[in-house]
Amino acid sequence: LVDQALAVGDRITAESYLSIDAGHGSVSKGWLIDCAIQPWKEGTFLNTTEDIIIEGEDMETCKVLWKGQVWGISSCSLTSVQELRNLFKHGKPILSPSSSAPAPSGS
């Protein structure tokens, strides 16, 4: 999309696409990014798991926040929020509205 926008001289659209931080990768390879909208991130490692917060107590309604932004989970084989927190070993669980103490982080 970036290349298409630049091909027609639409720099503003190209820059807006590059401002999106999205991609995917492999946890089993140490959070290796294998595809990203920003191509310079491909082949690098996601090393900011300390910025991840997991809110909630069940997988259906939990939220994953990274740097204050809500991230969606489109497919997940985990069955509990605790497993999700363990996946993000440095994630900081926060109080949910129905809880009076922080959930264990699994660290």
Side-chain angles (χ1 to χ4, degrees):
L1 294 173
V2 173
D3 291 337
Q4 290 174 350
L6 291 174
V8 296
D10 189 353
R11 182 182 174 99
I12 292 171
T13 298
E15 288 176 353
S16 71
Y17 286 134
L18 289 173
S19 71
I20 300 170
D21 194 354
H24 61 77
S26 173
V27 175
S28 64
K29 294 180 181 176
W31 294 98
L32 177 67
I33 299 169
D34 59 23
C35 184
I37 289 177
Q38 298 158 327
W40 57 88
K41 291 186 175 186
E42 291 178 11
T44 65
F45 292 92
L46 177 67
N47 59 2
T48 56
T49 57
E50 69 274 2
D51 295 330
I52 296 173
I53 296 172
I54 312 294
E55 280 185 350
E57 297 177 20
D58 62 74
M59 291 299 287
E60 292 75 32
T61 61
C62 76
K63 292 181 185 176
V64 177
L65 293 99
W66 184 35
K67 297 184 179 184
Q69 298 294 315
V70 176
W71 284 68
I73 301 174
S74 59
S75 176
C76 184
S77 61
L78 303 176
T79 59
S80 74
V81 173
Q82 187 58 48
E83 287 178 320
L84 186 61
R85 287 189 177 116
N86 290 342
L87 181 65
F88 296 105
K89 289 179 182 162
H90 298 100
K92 302 177 197 99
I94 64 169
L95 295 176
S96 67
S98 62
S99 146
S100 59
S105 67
S107 299

